[in-house]
């Protein structure tokens, strides 16, 4: 007697024994995670799945077999009797139920992963999804003579396969991992799958839980190559325009393009700007807007910022004003952008009067912080990013002690240290942004993120944004000055200025004005600070410290104390 497929019973038989020699012991996957294989008919999901399950010591299940057992009908009979929609609904229920249970290796039907509810159920269950790819000649040969595939009955197999690839590949791209099997035997593909799974680390996802337009910061390695699958659930369409600088585009543009195209994205434009702070100006904003709109961007087109803080600020401002607002994605490739500017929605350009004086709050739909991209940074750029990490450490408290202990290792390129720095910096910033999205708090709030920045922005402006002083380097000097000013005014212990400057010097950053390669006028710097956007009623405002984790904002700072500090620290 057949059962109703809408409420299938799911059995979990013992794992099938592999046909070859006894399996080599392998490291099991993380506890509690099922391995779910997705891909086209004929990709070898069942053959690889059985072998993989044996190697990992997990039960193996085939979704089609489970559906047939539950319904008392073959897949072909279900299609013929009830139609594809009924089959897909039952398939989704079966897969969701299996994924919510004990860990297994599960081979799914070719169309299963196309259903957004199935993909969501697998994500929520924490399953690891693996896409097995094969080209048309391999698939065509493997499905030849199989009569249990309803989509191929009475039709040209190659034509069907091409159509299925076009329709399904953008969804397969959302899988956690992908491997190519080609002409390989199932045994070889199984070994490749095992290595991919056991060597994989799930990207961290940090929520920026704003009351309106919440989004995630995704932190991990290899995200550029998976951009299409990672972005598609968060965007209104698969139409995008990419804005980058010439250096970053040469390094990472092809990887991003391939990742987007694999996810079925239509890249309307790839706009590049000259690298450096000089591109954050109104003339460049206009040029970006002209190119994006000339390429046919509409209100469903997302602008992607690929690069550092300059590109993120410029592209974000373009997204905020183009057609009165376009969706926006941040893909930061520098440490400074990953830990700071990509999160929070601040966008803008510089004016002659000062930094970031024209801009808008425009939150991204998602931030992809690919820590693998940090390996291409020049050493000076990597160090400059640490200026913001150190700032976050001083704001958070325990993170500062970690910075002192692990900063040198991070600056030597240690991937785990860099990942931790990005993750914890984003965690801190996300929490602050949620509490004070538009920087309207009278005291504290988002303004605390400007620790050291009143000094830093003045130094940058005096340099004319010509590249002789990077933003993170200016922030580092600003942190030392903020700590020194705090101590002079009696807010913190006298040890703090030395402690902050010692750490900055240990990671290769300038710690005081006298460390910089040019002379600054104290009078000119104070003039710049009086034009800072944080000035209220003519009074300069500073973020000062009582200790790590104890920052506060104040306007109660005598100008003569600031001038004396600047002169003592090396200003003329």
């Amino acid at each position: 007697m057949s059962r109703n497929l809408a409420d299938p019973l799911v059995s979990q038989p013992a794992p099938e024994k592999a046909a070859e020699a006894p399996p080599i012991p392998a490291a099991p996957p993380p506890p509690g995670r099922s391995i779910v294989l997705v891909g086209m008919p004929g990709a070898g999901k069942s053959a690889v799945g059985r072998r993989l399950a044996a190697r990992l010591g997990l039960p193996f299940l085939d979704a089609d077999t489970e559906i047939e057992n539950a319904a008392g009908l073959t897949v072909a009979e279900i299609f013929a009797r009830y139609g594809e929609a009924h089959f897909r609904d039952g398939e989704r229920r079966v897969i969701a139920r299996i994924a919510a249970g004990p860990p297994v290796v599960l081979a799914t039907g070719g169309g299963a992963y196309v259903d957004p509810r199935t993909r969501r159920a697998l994500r929520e269950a924490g399953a690891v999804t693996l896409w097995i790819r094969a080209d048309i000649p391999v698939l065509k040969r493997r499905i030849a003579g199989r009569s249990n595939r309803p989509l191929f009955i009475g039709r040209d197999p190659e034509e069907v396969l091409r159509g299925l690839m076009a329709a399904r590949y953008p969804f397969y791209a959302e899988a956690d991992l992908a491997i190519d099997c080609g002409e390989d035997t199932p045994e070889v593909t199984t070994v490749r799958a095992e290595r991919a799974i056991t060597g994989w680390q799930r990207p961290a996802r940090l929520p920026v839980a704003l009351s309106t337009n919440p989004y995630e910061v995704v932190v991990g390695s290899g995200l550029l190559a998976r951009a299409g699958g990672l972005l598609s659930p968060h965007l209104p369409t698969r139409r995008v325009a990419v804005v980058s600088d010439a250096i970053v585009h040469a390094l990472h543009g092809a990887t991003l393009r391939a990742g987007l195209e694999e996810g079925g994205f239509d890249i309307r434009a790839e706009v590049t700007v000259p690298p450096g702070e000089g591109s954050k100006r109104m003339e460049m904003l206009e040029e970006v807007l002209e190119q994006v709109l000339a390429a046919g961007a509409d209100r469903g087109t997302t602008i992607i910022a690929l690069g550092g803080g300059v590109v993120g600020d410029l592209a974000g401002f373009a997204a905020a004003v183009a057609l009165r607002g376009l969706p926006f994605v941040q893909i930061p490739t520098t440490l400074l952008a990953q830990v700071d500017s990509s999160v929070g929605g601040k966008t803008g350009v510089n004016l002659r009067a000062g930094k970031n004086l024209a801009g808008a709050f425009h939150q991204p739909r998602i931030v992809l912080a690919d820590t693998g991209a940090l390996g291409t940074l020049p050493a000076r750029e990597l160090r400059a990013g640490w200026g913001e990490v150190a700032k976050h450490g001083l704001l958070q408290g325990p993170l500062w002690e970690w910075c002192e202990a692990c900063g040198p290792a991070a600056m030597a390129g240690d991937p785990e240290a860099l990942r931790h720095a990005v993750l914890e910096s984003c965690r801190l910033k996300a929490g602050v942004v949620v509490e004070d999205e538009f920087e309207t708090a009278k005291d504290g709030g988002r303004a605390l993120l400007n620790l050291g920045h009143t000094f830093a922005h003045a130094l940058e402006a005096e340099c004319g944004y010509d590249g002789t002083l990077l933003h993170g380097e200016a922030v580092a000097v600003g942190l030392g000055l903020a700590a020194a000013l705090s101590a002079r005014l009696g807010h913190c212990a006298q040890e703090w200025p030395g402690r902050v400057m010692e750490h900055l010097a240990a990671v290769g950053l300038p710690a005081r004005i006298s460390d910089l390669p040019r002379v600054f006028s104290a009078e000119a710097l104070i003039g710049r600070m009086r034009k800072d956007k944080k000035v209220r009623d003519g009074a300069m405002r500073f973020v000062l410290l009582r200790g790590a984790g104890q920052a506060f904002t104040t306007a109660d700072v005598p100008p003569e104390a600031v001038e004396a500090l600047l002169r003592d620290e090396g200003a003329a």
Side-chain angles (χ1 to χ4, degrees), residues 451-502:
L451 176 64
H453 282 54
T454 300
F455 294 109
H457 288 167
L459 291 166
E460 287 182 277
E462 277 298 285
C463 289
Y465 311 113
D466 61 1
T468 60
L469 180 65
L470 300 179
H471 175 68
E473 294 169 337
V475 169
V477 175
L479 293 177
L481 290 168
L485 183 59
S486 300
R488 287 190 178 207
L489 297 177
H491 297 304
C492 70
Q494 294 300 314
E495 70 171 281
W496 275 104
R499 187 171 171 181
V500 170
M501 293 180 188
E502 182 180 347

Side-chain angles (χ1 to χ4, degrees), residues 267-407:
I267 304 172
R268 293 291 175 91
E270 293 182 81
V271 181
T272 57
V273 302
E277 193 77 20
S279 285
K280 274 182 59 173
R281 51 191 173 88
M282 281 292 187
E283 296 83 358
M284 193 58 67
L285 172 68
E286 183 178 0
E287 180 61 28
V288 170
L289 289 170
E290 293 286 2
Q291 291 194 45
V292 168
L293 295 174
D298 57 24
R299 287 190 171 179
T301 302
T302 297
I303 292 183
I304 296 176
L306 173 69
V310 169
V311 166
D313 285 358
L314 178 65
F317 195 17
V321 298
L323 303 177
R324 295 187 173 88
L326 297 183
F328 174 48
V329 166
Q330 285 270 23
I331 305 184
T333 58
T334 66
L335 179 60
L336 188 143
Q338 290 188 3
V339 302
D340 186 59
S341 60
S342 63
V343 181
K346 280 188 176 181
T347 72
V349 297
N350 303 328
L351 302 179
R352 286 191 297 273
K355 186 168 182 175
N356 297 328
L357 294 184
F361 287 97
H362 191 56
Q363 299 291 350
R365 296 295 183 93
I366 188 172
V367 178
L368 300 185
D370 187 340
T371 53
L374 302 179
T376 64
L377 283 180
R380 184 187 175 199
E381 290 278 358
L382 188 67
R383 290 194 299 268
W386 195 261
E388 292 287 357
V389 177
K391 178 199 76 176
H392 291 141
L394 287 169
L395 292 175
Q396 196 252 19
L399 181 59
W400 170 254
E401 296 180 3
W402 179 87
C403 286
E404 290 182 306
C406 300

